[in-house]
Amino acid sequence: MNTVLSSRVCGLLALLAPALVTAQSSSPPPLTWVGTDLVDGRPSSVRFTAADAAAPTLIAFGAGRACRLEARFVTHDGTQFHYDVTAGNGGWCDRFQPGRVVLRVDGRKATLQVRTQGAPLQVAMWPVGDATRAPPPRGTWTGLANPADPDASLASLQLADHDPGDTRSRLVFGSPDSCRLSLRYEGATPAGAWYAPLPGNGGARCDRLLDQWVVVREAGDAATVHVEPTPGDCADGCRWTRSSR
């Protein structure tokens, strides 16, 4: 009896095996890749996030573009993942509707290509949290918002990011400005680590930094901070001192 039952079970599994394989190969694994492109010579983050086949894949573009695409998974062969663009939130991303997304994976590196009728966008990517890549500065630095004015507010730069597109960093100004901004890490160049200020709790000084880049260059326990493309108070670079790691 047990032998007969076992034979039937084995036969059923043999019949279902091709369908199971097809079902597995039709769904991409969850994955997040990050990279940096250049916009007017400045770094701009790119983040590709695929949660599962049921949820839309998100492609977020950073400073200078500030938009995102949604895409629907189509198929993959283990190394190339294909998606159709299904939506976007306007602006620069409108050029990719309709469009096609291909992610080519080669070990711990990948190439993201977003195709449309014009020239495709192509960006080198790597896995989020890749420990083999040098991280940007991390810690807290403090100093005067305007070194030429002894009565200027005290600024605190709190950097906690690792990958392009991370938004854990903060720039906080004390009294009389009393405002704060989140910073999105965009990438690095020989000039330093680049961050895009994001809307915070308001305030004239913080609002002036929107649509700018904050560039940080670490030097021992100090950090030189300047703003692109409008220098403002830090025309020659504000040199702030590390207060914590």
Side-chain angles (χ1 to χ4, degrees):
M1 187 68 176
N2 289 339
T3 302
V4 173
L5 180 58
S6 298
S7 298
R8 290 178 176 175
V9 170
C10 290
L12 180 61
L13 289 176
L15 290 173
L16 291 176
L20 292 172
V21 170
T22 300
Q24 290 173 353
S25 63
S26 65
S27 300
L31 40 84
T32 299
W33 295 81
V34 294
T36 294
D37 198 17
L38 290 177
V39 176
D40 296 330
R42 302 181 181 96
S44 180
S45 61
V46 181
R47 180 169 291 225
F48 176 97
T49 304
D52 55 55
T57 293
L58 299 179
I59 307 163
F61 298 96
R65 292 168 174 165
C67 64
R68 67 179 182 275
L69 293 171
E70 293 184 3
R72 177 181 58 83
F73 171 71
V74 178
T75 187
H76 79 91
D77 62 6
T79 59
Q80 293 193 59
F81 298 79
H82 297 261
Y83 303 80
D84 283 335
V85 175
T86 56
N89 66 341
W92 183 84
C93 285
D94 280 348
R95 69 191 64 199
F96 296 113
Q97 297 186 66
R100 190 77 179 267
V101 177
V102 180
L103 183 73
R104 295 185 175 90
V105 178
D106 181 12
R108 297 194 64 79
K109 60 183 180 180
T111 301
L112 176 68
Q113 188 177 77
V114 186
R115 301 173 179 173
T116 186
Q117 294 179 352
L121 172 73
Q122 188 162 294
V123 183
M125 310 287 280
W126 57 90
V128 67
D130 187 352
T132 66
R133 303 187 69 87
R138 302 188 74 175
T140 300
W141 291 264
T142 57
L144 291 176
N146 182 356
D149 181 4
D151 296 323
S153 61
L154 189 67
S156 174
L157 178 66
Q158 305 160 10
L159 301 183
D161 296 328
H162 185 278
D163 295 302
D166 283 351
T167 58
R168 295 188 295 268
S169 295
R170 302 287 184 269
L171 179 56
V172 181
F173 295 96
S175 180
D177 295 306
S178 302
C179 66
R180 64 181 181 274
L181 291 163
S182 294
L183 300 175
R184 181 179 57 230
Y185 176 55
E186 300 292 346
T189 70
W194 294 64
Y195 298 84
L198 305 175
N201 67 334
R205 181 178 292 278
C206 287
D207 288 346
R208 287 200 302 269
L209 292 175
L210 299 178
D211 298 323
Q212 310 291 316
W213 282 261
V214 175
V215 188
V216 181
R217 187 179 181 91
E218 188 178 15
D221 283 337
T224 300
V225 181
H226 70 276
V227 177
E228 293 278 352
T230 307
D233 293 333
C234 294
D236 298 320
C238 292
R239 189 172 176 83
W240 294 345
T241 304
R242 182 188 289 274
S243 57
S244 69
R245 294 186 179 273

